[in-house]
Amino acid sequence: MKQEIAFIQSEELKVKPKADSLGFGKYYSDYMFVMDYHSEKGWYEPRITPYEQLILDPAAMVFHYGQAIFEGLKAYKTADGTIQLFRPEKNMKRFNESCDRLCIPQIDENFLLKAIKELILIEKDWIPEGDGTSLYIRPFIFATEPYLGVRPSHQYKLLVILSPVGAYYGDQLSPVKIYVEEQYVRAVIGGVGHVKTAGNYAASMKAQEVAEAKGFAQILWLDAKENKYVEEVGSMNIFFKIKGEVVTPKLNGSILSGVTRDSVIQLLKHWNIPVREEKISIEEVFAAHERGDLEEVFGSGTAAVISPVGELNWNDRSIEINHQKIGQLSQRVYDEITGIQLGKKEDPFNWIIKVAQV
Amino acid sequence: MKQEIAFIQSEELKVKPKADSLGFGKYYSDYMFVMDYHSEKGWYEPRITPYEQLILDPAAMVFHYGQAIFEGLKAYKTADGTIQLFRPEKNMKRFNESCDRLCIPQIDENFLLKAIKELILIEKDWIPEGDGTSLYIRPFIFATEPYLGVRPSHQYKLLVILSPVGAYYGDQLSPVKIYVEEQYVRAVIGGVGHVKTAGNYAASMKAQEVAEAKGFAQILWLDAKENKYVEEVGSMNIFFKIKGEVVTPKLNGSILSGVTRDSVIQLLKHWNIPVREEKISIEEVFAAHERGDLEEVFGSGTAAVISPVGELNWNDRSIEINHQKIGQLSQRVYDEITGIQLGKKEDPFNWIIKVAQV
């Protein structure tokens, strides 16, 4: 795609929120990237405009047949003023995989990454400085054609919005209580669980609500076919450290292929810590605990990076992991990845893409 | 809910489309019903307004986490000028079941039905007259809160829009070729397949696209766990007539509980035609054909009412049903249901709700 990205200047800029009140996904920057699609034109009119309300027909297909996908990544400002991204090409690639699964026309990955960089440069003052903070980048596409027949839409909108965020779970890593879900399922092989569709998240809320009412922070999803094998935790991938070895569920078509998941695996290999991607049953996890071999459990995702699990509840049985304290490895992985992201640690994997020096 | 429904007059009315060019879901009437929800206020400001564009924040949760549900029903005008609905209370009830599954606050079913009647009365001239035509009614709810954390939205919009429609598949019932899908799945027990979520439809498009490229009109979905039992056809329920007896898959938590499905079952019982709701494998269907016992296959749904199946293709084997002609029973069920809907036949089940005489 060789189109120029138009720029429409905002007449007035917002007051930026304080770094200690950011939370997650509450504030949006002054500008956004927008691009439209029509089946007769392809993707057209890429532009950076003021962050503004969208105008949509009530019959726009997104409201009815749910073609909506997204990505999530972050921009960081290092101590020396470098603005950088963490493996954004992985997000671009997965974005297209989500497109394909939901019959949404694919995008030019390089072009979108270029657009994101331009947007971030304009919004560089929105990247917060402070531990655990970053500028969250949310690219998303949804169907806009006003039509009520069931088929892929002929019109779409792609946007990228930016939100300055604090650490997802607050200042410190703190282990959470997890409920192993047996009634509801998140996804099944042959479905859409391996890509980032809006509908996946809507479908997951009920189980989360039930678990919260029982006093748990998140749910651990089991596979839909046998209700036996571990899939994900909340909206994160999951890792178990059992007797010095790390195991994470193998990508099987219903598990999301997380960028942080992949980074954790590479990191562990780099450290010569044994790590295996394989089918792991919840029964094996509990048996490992019984033997005293279950040392650490943690989730991985872009929003929280690493989220330690302190307790697992399955079938009315509760097990405590590492005395509800952060495991050494969980902390080490967290420090390393956030260290690389913030330019405090070396980047032997070439994960970092530098956008600019400010 | 005792709120008054406000009415905002339109300054100008549209030119109505001709009855023979309606298609499905292409035209929308002059007015729509709107109601908003805020967690602190409940559902508020019910109003009938001109059909107009919606204004939404780019961070509105529907675009990101997909809380969106809908219903579909129709208003009919009989030869003597009566305006009537077909079992609308079933749609209201299912609407609330969809709400519950997606953590959307429930609505007052009676109030919404009253609002729909008011809207239809205002739009009575939009109900087309002519065989197979009707005014399609689309109630839907979606999340509007601008927030990027994953949890149920605190704000929603409910709308009802109206679309004059022709027969879904054109003038005459015509048997279609169906592809039995083995790779993709529509839904799984523990998921959201039993309710009308937008995401279900987005997830189904890929398989439909692949089947169309192979020359098939629709897909037959199998169960997600064993890839063995018949679930639905396209976005309809399915019936098999085998040696004089009718079988339809039993509601199991992943099959949509269709209003037309229920009506077909009641009608068959009324006619003393044996009908069973049970698990039926695709293997059994093909074996019945082998024995010469598979007499008819048809889909049922609000849009098409009855859609005969002329051919089934499974695992590279194709079988022809009733020589690709409309079966007697399929035609009889279609005539009876559309007859009741249009006031041409008696309504022994009290399915009809009269809205007005014009």
Side-chain angles (χ1 to χ4, degrees):
Chain A
M1 216 168 152
K2 281 177 196 150
Q3 292 182 58
E4 280 287 305
I5 298 171
F7 177 63
I8 297 143
Q9 181 100 37
S10 182
E11 284 175 20
E12 129 177 75
L13 299 182
K14 299 173 189 171
V15 176
K16 294 181 183 63
K18 287 183 186 153
D20 58 0
S21 69
L22 292 174
F24 188 88
K26 291 196 299 188
Y27 302 100
Y28 308 98
S29 74
D30 292 302
Y31 290 95
M32 61 188 190
F33 174 76
V34 189
M35 186 160 70
D36 292 292
Y37 178 91
H38 192 290
S39 52
E40 282 163 20
K41 296 199 241 184
W43 286 107
Y44 67 97
E45 274 183 32
R47 57 205 185 269
I48 290 172
T49 75
Y51 184 98
E52 63 196 357
Q53 303 294 291
L54 305 174
I55 294 168
L56 285 165
D57 197 286
M61 294 181 84
V62 63
F63 302 128
H64 305 274
Y65 307 128
Q67 279 178 289
I69 58 165
F70 69 92
E71 273 301 325
L73 61 163
K74 290 173 172 174
Y76 310 88
K77 198 180 280 176
T78 69
D80 72 353
T82 306
I83 296 170
Q84 52 192 35
L85 297 170
F86 183 76
R87 312 187 75 188
E89 69 287 352
K90 298 273 285 179
N91 297 92
M92 299 301 108
K93 185 165 173 276
R94 190 173 59 187
F95 206 30
N96 262 343
E97 287 163 4
S98 300
C99 282
D100 181 64
R101 184 61 183 83
L102 285 204
C103 301
I104 294 172
Q106 298 206 341
I107 49 102
D108 178 329
E109 297 174 21
N110 291 327
F111 180 77
L112 181 58
L113 185 50
K114 184 184 140 213
I116 288 173
K117 287 180 186 170
E118 275 190 37
L119 179 63
I120 289 168
L121 265 182
I122 292 170
E123 295 292 65
K124 59 184 184 299
D125 294 341
W126 277 92
I127 308 175
E129 289 167 68
D131 260 2
T133 69
S134 58
L135 186 64
Y136 185 78
I137 304 164
R138 168 58 58 94
F140 59 111
I141 302 178
F142 58 91
T144 55
E145 187 190 3
Y147 180 58
L148 295 185
V150 179
R151 60 144 172 78
S153 175
H154 294 163
Q155 296 162 42
Y156 299 86
K157 216 176 240 310
L158 179 156
L159 284 94
V160 181
I161 58 175
L162 305 177
S163 175
V165 298
Y168 197 75
Y169 293 116
D171 269 0
Q172 253 210 310
L173 284 190
S174 108
V176 291
K177 289 171 70 172
I178 303 285
Y179 181 77
V180 181
E181 178 59 46
E182 293 216 291
Q183 181 188 351
Y184 298 108
V185 301
R186 195 193 80 93
V188 63
I189 294 169
V192 295
H194 57 304
V195 286
K196 274 186 106 68
T197 74
N200 283 342
Y201 294 79
S204 77
M205 288 176 186
K206 182 77 178 174
Q208 175 70 25
E209 195 176 74
V210 172
E212 275 174 25
K214 289 180 182 158
F216 296 91
Q218 294 270 356
I219 23 192
L220 184 74
W221 298 103
L222 300 181
D223 80 288
K225 291 202 180 192
E226 298 182 63
N227 243 272
K228 195 171 160 182
Y229 298 100
V230 172
E231 298 235 311
E232 296 189 21
V233 59
S235 46
M236 294 182 286
N237 294 114
I238 189 160
F239 290 82
F240 301 93
K241 180 164 170 262
I242 298 173
K243 234 185 164 175
E245 300 194 353
V246 180
V247 184
T248 189
K250 190 175 171 170
L251 300 180
N252 60 353
S254 63
I255 294 171
L256 190 81
S257 171
V259 176
T260 312
R261 174 186 181 279
D262 184 78
S263 308
V264 172
I265 293 170
Q266 283 197 49
L267 212 47
L268 294 173
K269 286 181 177 166
H270 183 69
W271 288 338
N272 288 316
I273 295 172
V275 52
R276 296 191 314 273
E277 299 175 65
E278 62 184 29
K279 250 183 158 180
I280 177 163
S281 71
I282 187 66
E283 212 166 344
E284 279 170 70
V285 172
F286 272 65
H289 177 266
E290 199 94 330
R291 294 193 306 270
D293 292 343
L294 183 64
E295 295 157 354
E296 297 184 38
V297 181
F298 61 89
S300 73
T302 293
V305 189
I306 296 297
S307 174
V309 174
E311 185 182 324
L312 278 174
N313 182 292
W314 174 50
N315 247 335
D316 295 326
R317 284 161 62 201
S318 253
I319 58 175
E320 211 185 47
I321 294 136
N322 198 36
H323 311 286
Q324 306 235 28
K325 286 187 299 196
I326 308 159
Q328 239 182 354
L329 184 66
S330 310
Q331 186 71 53
R332 185 178 174 202
V333 170
Y334 177 83
D335 290 343
E336 192 71 19
I337 293 180
T338 55
I340 293 171
Q341 289 169 336
L342 289 167
K344 293 177 186 170
K345 300 220 177 212
E346 265 190 64
D347 170 27
F349 312 98
N350 290 313
W351 284 340
I352 293 301
I353 302 282
K354 292 197 159 99
V355 179
Q357 184 93 23
V358 287
Chain B
M1 214 165 152
K2 282 178 196 148
Q3 293 181 58
E4 282 285 308
I5 298 171
F7 176 64
I8 297 144
Q9 182 100 37
S10 182
E11 283 176 20
E12 131 177 73
L13 298 182
K14 299 173 188 170
V15 176
K16 294 181 183 63
K18 288 183 186 153
D20 59 359
S21 69
L22 291 175
F24 188 89
K26 289 195 302 187
Y27 301 100
Y28 307 97
S29 75
D30 292 302
Y31 290 96
M32 62 188 189
F33 173 76
V34 189
M35 187 161 68
D36 291 291
Y37 179 90
H38 192 289
S39 53
E40 284 164 20
K41 295 199 242 186
W43 286 106
Y44 68 98
E45 274 184 32
R47 57 205 186 269
I48 290 172
T49 75
Y51 185 96
E52 64 195 359
Q53 302 295 293
L54 305 175
I55 295 168
L56 285 165
D57 197 286
M61 293 181 82
V62 64
F63 302 128
H64 305 273
Y65 307 129
Q67 279 178 291
I69 58 166
F70 70 93
E71 273 301 324
L73 62 163
K74 289 171 171 175
Y76 310 88
K77 199 180 280 175
T78 70
D80 72 353
T82 306
I83 295 170
Q84 53 192 33
L85 297 170
F86 184 75
R87 314 187 75 187
E89 69 287 353
K90 298 272 287 179
N91 297 92
M92 299 302 106
K93 187 167 172 276
R94 190 174 58 189
F95 206 29
N96 262 343
E97 287 163 4
S98 299
C99 281
D100 181 63
R101 185 61 184 83
L102 285 204
C103 301
I104 294 172
Q106 297 206 342
I107 48 103
D108 178 329
E109 296 174 22
N110 292 327
F111 179 78
L112 182 59
L113 184 51
K114 185 185 139 212
I116 288 173
K117 287 178 184 171
E118 275 190 37
L119 179 64
I120 288 167
L121 264 181
I122 292 170
E123 296 293 64
K124 58 184 185 298
D125 294 341
W126 277 92
I127 308 175
E129 289 167 68
D131 260 4
T133 68
S134 58
L135 185 64
Y136 185 77
I137 304 164
R138 170 57 58 93
F140 59 110
I141 302 178
F142 58 90
T144 55
E145 187 190 3
Y147 180 60
L148 295 185
V150 179
R151 61 144 170 79
S153 174
H154 293 163
Q155 295 163 43
Y156 299 87
K157 218 175 236 313
L158 180 158
L159 284 95
V160 181
I161 58 175
L162 305 177
S163 175
V165 298
Y168 196 78
Y169 291 117
D171 270 358
Q172 254 208 308
L173 285 190
S174 106
V176 292
K177 290 172 70 173
I178 302 286
Y179 181 77
V180 182
E181 178 60 46
E182 293 216 291
Q183 181 187 352
Y184 298 108
V185 300
R186 196 192 79 91
V188 64
I189 294 169
V192 296
H194 58 303
V195 287
K196 275 187 103 69
T197 74
N200 283 343
Y201 294 79
S204 77
M205 289 175 184
K206 183 75 178 179
Q208 175 70 25
E209 194 176 74
V210 172
E212 275 175 24
K214 289 179 182 160
F216 297 90
Q218 293 270 357
I219 22 190
L220 183 73
W221 297 105
L222 300 181
D223 79 287
K225 291 202 179 192
E226 298 182 64
N227 243 273
K228 194 170 162 185
Y229 297 100
V230 172
E231 299 234 313
E232 297 188 22
V233 57
S235 46
M236 294 182 285
N237 294 115
I238 189 159
F239 290 82
F240 301 94
K241 181 164 169 264
I242 298 173
K243 233 185 167 180
E245 300 194 353
V246 180
V247 185
T248 190
K250 190 176 172 169
L251 300 180
N252 61 353
S254 64
I255 294 172
L256 190 80
S257 171
V259 177
T260 311
R261 173 186 182 279
D262 184 77
S263 308
V264 172
I265 293 170
Q266 282 197 49
L267 212 47
L268 294 174
K269 286 181 178 166
H270 183 69
W271 289 337
N272 288 316
I273 295 172
V275 52
R276 296 192 313 271
E277 299 176 64
E278 61 184 32
K279 253 184 156 179
I280 178 163
S281 71
I282 188 66
E283 210 166 346
E284 278 169 72
V285 172
F286 272 65
H289 178 266
E290 199 96 328
R291 295 193 306 269
D293 292 342
L294 183 64
E295 296 155 356
E296 298 185 34
V297 181
F298 61 88
S300 74
T302 293
V305 188
I306 295 298
S307 174
V309 174
E311 186 183 324
L312 278 174
N313 183 292
W314 173 49
N315 247 336
D316 295 326
R317 284 162 63 201
S318 253
I319 58 174
E320 210 184 49
I321 293 135
N322 196 36
H323 310 288
Q324 304 235 28
K325 286 188 302 199
I326 307 159
Q328 243 182 350
L329 184 67
S330 310
Q331 187 71 54
R332 187 179 172 202
V333 169
Y334 177 82
D335 291 344
E336 192 70 19
I337 292 180
T338 55
I340 293 171
Q341 288 169 338
L342 289 167
K344 293 177 186 170
K345 300 220 178 211
E346 264 189 64
D347 171 26
F349 312 99
N350 291 313
W351 284 340
I352 293 300
I353 302 283
K354 292 195 160 90
V355 178
Q357 185 93 22
V358 289

